[in-house]
Amino acid sequence: MVESAARVVVAKPGLDGHDRGVKVVARVLRDAGVEVIYTGLRQSPEMIVAAALQEDADGIGLSVLSGAHMTMFGRVMELLEENDATDIRVFGGGIIPEGDIGSLEQMGVAKVFTPGAPTADIAAWVKENIRPMHTA
């Protein structure tokens, strides 16, 4: 069996226009051997999930700095369930209060990275926890 790289859709949901951090994370993941599809700024949860389904993604990484993390992550999780795609693991980060991390995990978010998380830790977590759904 040949091991393939995990495919991850990385997105900026909502109206947040700050993308420097997510671009750094996307580059770090690519350098670590992860196949990254960056959808760009101002994506709706519907657009993000549609991209993940179209790209046959193994994971979705969300970057939320706007304070809308509960709504954005929640809607992505709902859409994955509606599309019978709960095997796509969701992770993310941004300006997320420690008190909200448990609630995000209860809704099924696999991992939340807070500001200052070392990029090497993010890459290592993705490589360890986002498994390719397809192997040849």
Side-chain angles (χ1 to χ4, degrees):
M1 180 168 25
V2 177
E3 187 173 325
S4 61
R7 292 174 60 93
V8 175
V9 167
V10 177
K12 289 290 299 180
L15 300 177
D16 179 7
H18 300 281
D19 64 350
R20 180 175 290 158
V22 73
K23 286 179 176 176
V24 168
V25 170
R27 172 57 64 117
V28 166
L29 292 177
R30 283 187 189 117
D31 289 350
V34 177
E35 190 174 343
V36 177
I37 300 98
Y38 174 51
T39 62
L41 291 170
R42 297 179 182 90
Q43 300 292 297
S44 70
E46 290 78 8
M47 294 162 74
I48 295 164
V49 171
L53 295 171
Q54 181 178 353
E55 294 290 344
D56 204 17
D58 306 301
I60 296 173
L62 300 176
S63 172
V64 183
L65 302 175
S66 65
H69 50 277
M70 297 304 289
T71 301
M72 294 299 169
F73 278 92
R75 183 67 179 137
V76 166
M77 300 308 292
E78 288 172 4
L79 290 165
L80 289 173
E81 186 160 338
E82 288 172 15
N83 284 279
D84 195 27
T86 55
D87 54 341
I88 298 175
R89 297 196 76 191
V90 177
F91 66 98
I95 308 297
I96 299 172
E98 289 288 333
D100 289 346
I101 293 174
S103 297
L104 291 168
E105 291 171 343
Q106 284 181 338
M107 68 174 65
V109 176
K111 180 72 174 173
V112 176
F113 295 95
T114 55
T119 55
D121 290 356
I122 297 169
W125 185 89
V126 169
K127 288 189 63 86
E128 181 70 27
N129 293 280
I130 306 293
R131 300 277 188 227
M133 289 188 271
H134 13 260
T135 53

